[in-house]
C-alpha cells in the first residue's frame, strides 16, 4: 500500500462523454416532482391512519431530497435558470425542515476543501463510528450556524429559510391540541437528518488517503446498488460534480476501465 502510485490526472469529461451532463425534460420534471409527491403522500396516508406508509413516504422524501433532488439543485445540475433553481432548492429543503442554501454553501465548500479540516461537512469522516452517529443529532444546527458565518453571498436566503423552518416547527407545536400529524411530520423529518453524517461522510470518505482517487471510497455490486437506490457513486461525484445523479451509473461504467488501470479496488458486499 505504501508503494501505491499517487493519481493526479483524471479523464476529462469530454473524453467520457458530454452526454453525461445532459438530462431529458422528463427526468427533470420527475426529479423536481418527487419531493412534493412524497410529502403529499405522507399527509394523505397520515390522515387515513396508514402510519407505516406515511413513515415510508418520509423516508423516501428524506433520501431523494438530500441525496438527489436538492443535491442536483445545489450543483445547478438540472439545467434550470438560476432564480428557478434557487427557489426550488429553498422550497424543497424548507419542507424537509432544512435550509437549502446552508446546505449549498457547506456542500460546495466540501468539494472545494476536502479533505482539509475546515470542511465541516466531512468532519464525521475523521470521527469514530459512535461519534459520527452522535454527530447526526447536531449536524443540521452546526452546518446552519457555519453557513451563517460563511454565507458566500447567500445570507438572505439562509436567514429566511431558517425563519421558515422555525415557523413550521412552531406551527406543528401549536397544532398539537388539534392534531398530532404535523408534529409527527416534524419529528420524523428531523430524525431522518440524523443519519446524514454517517451516510454521506463517515462511510464514503477516507481523508487520510494520498489523492482524490483514494480519498473517497469506490463502491460496486448489486447489493450496494439496491441498498443505496443507485446512489452509491460518491467517488464518481467527487471527481465530476457537474454530472446529474441520473447519469451516475453511466459515469461509473465509463470510469471502471480507468479505475482498473490505476489499480483502484472497489468495496463489495456479497455480490
Amino acid at each position: 500500500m505504501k508503494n501505491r502510485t499517487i493519481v493526479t490526472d483524471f479523464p476529462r469529461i469530454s473524453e467520457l462523454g458530454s452526454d453525461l451532463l445532459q438530462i431529458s425534460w422528463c427526468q427533470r420534471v420527475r426529479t423536481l416532482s418527487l419531493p412534493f409527491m412524497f410529502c403529499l403522500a405522507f399527509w394523505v396516508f397520515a390522515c387515513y391512519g396508514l402510519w407505516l406508509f406515511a413513515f415510508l413516504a418520509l423516508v423516501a422524501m428524506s433520501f431523494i431530497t438530500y441525496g438527489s433532488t436538492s443535491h442536483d439543485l445545489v450543483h445547478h445540475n438540472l439545467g434550470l435558470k438560476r432564480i428557478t433553481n434557487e427557489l426550488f432548492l429553498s422550497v424543497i429543503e424548507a419542507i424537509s425542515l432544512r435550509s437549502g442554501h446552508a446546505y449549498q454553501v457547506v456542500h460546495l465548500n466540501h468539494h472545494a476543501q476536502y479533505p482539509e479540516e475546515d470542511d465541516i461537512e466531512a468532519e464525521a469522516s475523521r470521527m469514530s463510528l459512535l461519534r459520527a452517529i452522535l454527530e447526526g443529532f447536531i449536524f443540521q444546527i452546526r452546518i446552519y450556524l457555519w453557513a451563517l458565518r460563511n454565507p458566500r453571498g447567500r445570507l438572505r436566503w439562509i436567514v429566511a429559510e431558517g425563519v421558515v423552518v422555525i415557523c413550521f416547527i412552531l406551527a406543528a407545536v401549536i397544532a398539537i391540541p388539534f392534531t398530532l400529524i404535523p408534529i409527527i411530520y416534524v419529528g420524523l423529518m428531523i430524525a431522518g437528518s440524523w443519519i446524514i453524517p454517517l451516510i454521506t461522510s463517515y462511510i464514503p470518505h477516507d481523508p487520510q488517503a494520498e489523492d482524490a482517487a483514494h480519498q473517497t471510497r469506490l463502491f460496486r455490486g448489486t447489493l450496494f446498488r439496491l441498498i443505496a437506490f443507485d446512489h452509491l457513486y460518491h467517488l464518481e461525484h467527487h471527481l465530476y460534480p457537474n454530472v446529474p445523479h441520473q447519469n451516475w451509473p453511466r459515469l461509473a461504467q465509463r470510469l471502471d476501465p480507468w479505475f482498473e488501470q490505476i489499480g483502484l479496488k472497489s468495496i463489495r458486499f456479497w455480490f
Side-chain angles (χ1 to χ4, degrees), residues 36-238:
F36 300 104
M37 292 172 61
F38 282 118
C39 181
L40 177 61
F42 166 83
W43 292 97
V44 172
F45 288 136
C47 287
Y48 282 94
L50 303 172
W51 288 106
L52 174 60
F53 294 106
F55 169 77
L56 292 176
L58 286 197
V59 170
M61 179 180 167
S62 295
F63 183 87
I64 64 168
T65 49
Y66 210 84
S68 299
T69 303
S70 299
H71 185 258
D72 278 337
L73 291 167
V74 161
H75 286 283
H76 293 268
N77 286 347
L78 297 180
L80 301 172
K81 292 182 178 180
R82 177 165 291 275
I83 186 60
T84 304
N85 188 96
E86 303 311 311
L87 286 171
F88 269 112
L89 175 61
S90 185
V91 172
I92 288 173
E93 282 296 285
I95 62 174
S96 303
L97 302 184
R98 301 184 295 256
S99 165
H101 287 82
Y103 174 22
Q104 186 177 54
V105 168
V106 168
H107 188 66
L108 294 182
N109 179 73
H110 168 58
H111 278 273
Q113 298 299 324
Y114 176 73
E116 303 300 327
E117 292 192 1
D118 58 347
D119 174 11
I120 186 173
E121 184 174 284
E123 277 190 2
S125 65
R126 293 182 284 271
M127 299 175 180
S128 67
L129 174 59
L130 177 59
R131 179 66 182 83
I133 294 172
L134 294 176
E135 175 70 7
F137 290 89
I138 58 174
F139 181 68
Q140 291 300 323
I141 296 175
R142 289 192 67 213
I143 66 172
Y144 184 78
L145 295 176
W146 189 95
L148 282 176
R149 295 192 299 270
N150 305 272
R152 313 290 168 84
R154 300 172 177 87
L155 182 60
R156 291 182 180 180
W157 285 103
I158 294 168
V159 171
E161 290 160 356
V163 170
V164 169
V165 169
I166 291 173
C167 288
F168 281 170
I169 295 172
L170 289 176
V173 172
I174 293 171
I176 289 177
F178 310 101
T179 174
L180 293 177
I181 293 177
I183 199 66
I184 292 173
Y185 176 89
V186 166
L188 289 176
M189 287 306 306
I190 292 175
S193 295
W194 289 345
I195 66 169
I196 288 176
L198 177 68
I199 299 300
T200 66
S201 179
Y202 179 84
I203 292 176
H205 293 122
D206 180 10
Q208 305 305 319
E210 301 95 333
D211 56 57
H214 296 89
Q215 287 164 351
T216 306
R217 298 181 176 95
L218 177 66
F219 295 93
R220 285 293 183 271
T222 302
L223 185 59
F224 274 146
R225 288 188 65 180
L226 292 173
I227 293 173
F229 295 98
D230 233 4
H231 284 63
L232 75 167
Y233 306 104
H234 206 89
L235 171 59
E236 292 83 350
H237 170 62
H238 262 274

